[in-house]
Amino acid sequence: QVISEELDAHGVLKQAFADEIKARDYAKTNVVEVLKDIDGIFMIGGEDISPTLFKVPEEFANSEDIDAARDISDYILMAYCMDKDIPTIAVCRGMQMMGVVAGTGYIQDIRDYYKAQGQEYTIDFHRDPLGTPDNRVVRHDVELVSKESHLFKIVQADVMKNISSWHHPALDKLEGSGLILTGKSSYNGVEIIEAIEHPGKRYCVGLQFHPDNDVKLVCYDKKTTPADYGIALSLFKNLIKYASK
């Protein structure tokens, strides 16, 4: 639990406490004990990330939820997995945390980002509006840009169609992070990062979208999905393959 003195009025980690987390002093945490028998990690989606954790900290610039306790846990977990080369697949917020730990840029709200580019964002391209019944995902295509990536080797095509999308932040500026761009989308001439990998790690894959949703639809809800279920499942099978080595 995070005490109130560590948070600002928005629930964001205050800078001094965020800097302690970014120092990656694992001896002050239980991450070694927690992961001692863990061979691979799947980091899920969730709330926005405290902007004090960014490589270049920013002021809080949106009105959506922050979970500071989870920020601390996820940052330490992701940093440890990347430092120790533990196979990882991270989706949505998970991918954003991968980028934040690696030192990428971060877009706190896509609509504001479009405005800053002088472009309109008049449709719900990456998610339905807040309050939509059942939190329905939206679907769009992702262009694959690296034929050496894990993602391309699984998809075996230049476009991954009908992915499940539900997010309003995104990553930006991968330069200097060690991460490479493997997938992107574009609307109204503005590109958004949709997939990343760390080529120096065994299996360090970030996806801004939700293959887990399409696996759930088929395996648990017994429904069909407009996305390729086999591709979605293969992303997780690959995690198991690399984790079992």
Side-chain angles (χ1 to χ4, degrees), residues 139-228:
R139 292 190 179 273
H140 62 80
D141 296 345
V142 170
E143 178 187 351
L144 305 192
V145 299
S146 172
K147 293 190 176 182
E148 299 303 314
S149 67
H150 292 291
L151 185 59
F152 185 87
K153 290 174 182 177
I154 290 171
V155 177
Q156 287 294 303
D158 293 329
V159 177
M160 191 173 181
K161 293 185 175 296
N162 293 320
I163 58 91
S164 294
S165 178
W166 179 261
H167 66 105
H168 80 102
L171 293 182
D172 188 28
K173 300 183 178 70
L174 302 183
E175 295 81 3
S177 68
L179 299 169
I180 62 168
L181 176 70
T182 61
K184 63 182 180 179
S185 63
S186 179
Y187 170 71
N188 212 14
V190 178
E191 293 182 348
I192 294 295
I193 295 172
E194 295 284 355
I196 55 175
E197 294 181 15
H198 196 306
K201 308 296 182 183
R202 286 184 290 162
Y203 194 68
C204 184
V205 175
L207 306 171
Q208 186 55 75
F209 46 95
H210 284 276
D212 50 310
N213 178 65
D214 294 307
V215 171
K216 171 185 175 293
L217 284 174
V218 174
C219 290
Y220 295 96
D221 298 342
K222 308 303 180 183
K223 298 178 180 179
T224 58
T225 169
D228 190 319

Side-chain angles (χ1 to χ4, degrees), residues 8 12 17 29 44 77 82 109 131 150 195 200 202 231:
D8 70 9
V12 171
F17 298 103
T29 77
I44 63 173
L77 176 63
M82 294 181 77
D109 187 82
H150 292 291
R202 286 184 290 162
I231 288 175

Side-chain angles (χ1 to χ4, degrees), residues 84-144:
K84 303 300 182 182
D85 197 14
I86 297 173
T88 302
I89 185 168
V91 303
C92 203
R93 168 197 160 93
M95 186 188 98
Q96 294 160 15
M97 186 59 79
M98 182 180 286
V100 167
V101 168
T104 69
Y106 185 98
I107 298 167
Q108 293 195 54
D109 187 82
I110 293 174
R111 291 181 183 275
D112 291 341
Y113 180 71
Y114 265 76
K115 290 177 184 177
Q117 309 302 311
Q119 296 293 339
E120 292 186 359
Y121 188 77
T122 57
I123 66 169
D124 300 297
F125 189 79
H126 293 97
R127 76 168 186 191
D128 275 350
L130 288 180
T132 299
D134 301 323
N135 284 338
R136 293 174 304 177
V137 299
V138 298
R139 292 190 179 273
H140 62 80
D141 296 345
V142 170
E143 178 187 351
L144 305 192

